[in-house]
Amino acid sequence: QITLKESGLTLVKPTQTLTLTCTLSGRSLTYGGVGVGWVRQPPGKALEWLAIIFWNDDGHYSPSLKNRLTITKDTSKNQVVLTMTDMEAVDTATYYCVHRPRSSVGAFDVWGQGAMVTVSS
Amino acid sequence: DIQMTQSPSSVSASVGDRVTITCRASQGISSWLAWYQQKPGKAPNLLIYTISTLQSGVPSRFSGSGSGTDFTLTISNLQPEDFATYFCQQTHNFPWTFGQGTKVEVK
């Protein structure tokens, strides 16, 4: 069974950097075709895809946030880390870690429970 | 970016009804269309991928169809546990994008 768990500080001040870690269990980040990414959802609003990194280190970002986002993976810990700089109130949202099993699926079959991030001074 | 437009934004229905939700892409997305269900306070759950492939464990009353830019999620014989919000998503081109959601409410 594949599971994802988000961790990290979830109360950040404006202008600070958010760092979230996703720990993947039940599947290696080096498994062919695997991608792990991030999706966020402001309270009461729609889902927004942020970034993804694949088993071969290929990474992609939302263009609207590209200048603020970095996604990396640590295969020794089976973890993916998302950093978002210059946080502001509009970034308050639940941040989900997501798993794409292989290219032929093209969707997120496993989601983490979510990390509720609040940006406030 | 490919825009995904869902309609309606909400629908009122009763148990046993057939519910249809539409998702339109601003350009062709081949077969890279997925549907998710989300209940309050929970993470989304994958229902269907590549337009019509049912994710393992998802009841057969859920079905997907469409092609090109127009896609449909159908819930036949609506059950109490189906009252939720549904999102479509395209993974044809980066950035991957979601629809704004359709809430299925109790009539």
Side-chain angles (χ1 to χ4, degrees), chain A residues 41 49 60 96 103 106 108 112, chain B residues 32 36 38 43 89 91 94 96:
Chain A
Q41 185 175 38
W49 174 80
H60 296 268
Y96 294 103
S103 59
F108 304 135
Chain B
W32 303 111
Y36 300 87
Q38 186 179 32
Q89 180 201 21
T91 56
F94 289 106
W96 293 348

Side-chain angles (χ1 to χ4, degrees), chain A residues 39 41 45-49 52 54 60-63 96 100 102-109 111-114, chain B residues 1 32 34 36 38 41-46 48-50 55 87 89-91 94-101:
Chain A
V39 171
Q41 185 175 38
K45 296 191 176 181
L47 302 166
E48 179 184 14
W49 174 80
I52 192 165
F54 294 106
H60 296 268
Y61 297 93
S62 168
Y96 294 103
R100 190 210 75 172
R102 54 191 177 276
S103 59
S104 61
V105 171
F108 304 135
D109 67 335
W111 294 61
Q113 63 187 14
Chain B
D1 298 6
W32 303 111
Y36 300 87
Q38 186 179 32
K42 300 293 186 181
N45 181 51
L46 177 63
I48 289 170
Y49 60 93
T50 55
Q55 172 68 351
F87 294 93
Q89 180 201 21
Q90 68 82 20
T91 56
F94 289 106
W96 293 348
T97 45
F98 292 90
Q100 80 276 20

Side-chain angles (χ1 to χ4, degrees), chain B:
Chain B
D1 298 6
I2 297 176
Q3 308 303 318
M4 304 299 289
T5 303
Q6 287 183 235
S7 60
S9 56
S10 65
V11 57
S12 297
S14 302
V15 171
D17 284 353
R18 180 184 180 94
V19 173
T20 299
I21 299 168
T22 296
C23 182
R24 174 166 289 176
S26 59
Q27 65 187 74
I29 58 171
S30 185
S31 61
W32 303 111
L33 190 282
W35 292 97
Y36 300 87
Q37 177 193 68
Q38 186 179 32
K39 295 181 178 179
K42 300 293 186 181
N45 181 51
L46 177 63
L47 298 175
I48 289 170
Y49 60 93
T50 55
I51 301 177
S52 60
T53 306
L54 210 61
Q55 172 68 351
S56 176
V58 173
S60 59
R61 62 180 180 273
F62 291 93
S63 63
S65 63
S67 64
T69 60
D70 294 312
F71 305 92
T72 299
L73 172 70
T74 299
I75 313 170
S76 57
N77 189 21
L78 192 71
Q79 295 300 296
E81 60 267 30
D82 301 335
F83 292 100
T85 301
Y86 295 83
F87 294 93
C88 62
Q89 180 201 21
Q90 68 82 20
T91 56
H92 178 63
N93 281 348
F94 289 106
W96 293 348
T97 45
F98 292 90
Q100 80 276 20
T102 295
K103 188 174 184 179
V104 177
E105 301 174 303
V106 176
K107 190 172 186 178

Side-chain angles (χ1 to χ4, degrees), chain A residues 18-21 38 50-51 69-71 80-84 95:
Chain A
L18 172 71
T19 301
L20 293 174
T21 299
W38 294 88
L50 300 178
L69 292 175
T70 303
I71 190 168
V80 170
V81 177
L82 180 78
T83 61
M84 181 180 292
Y95 287 71

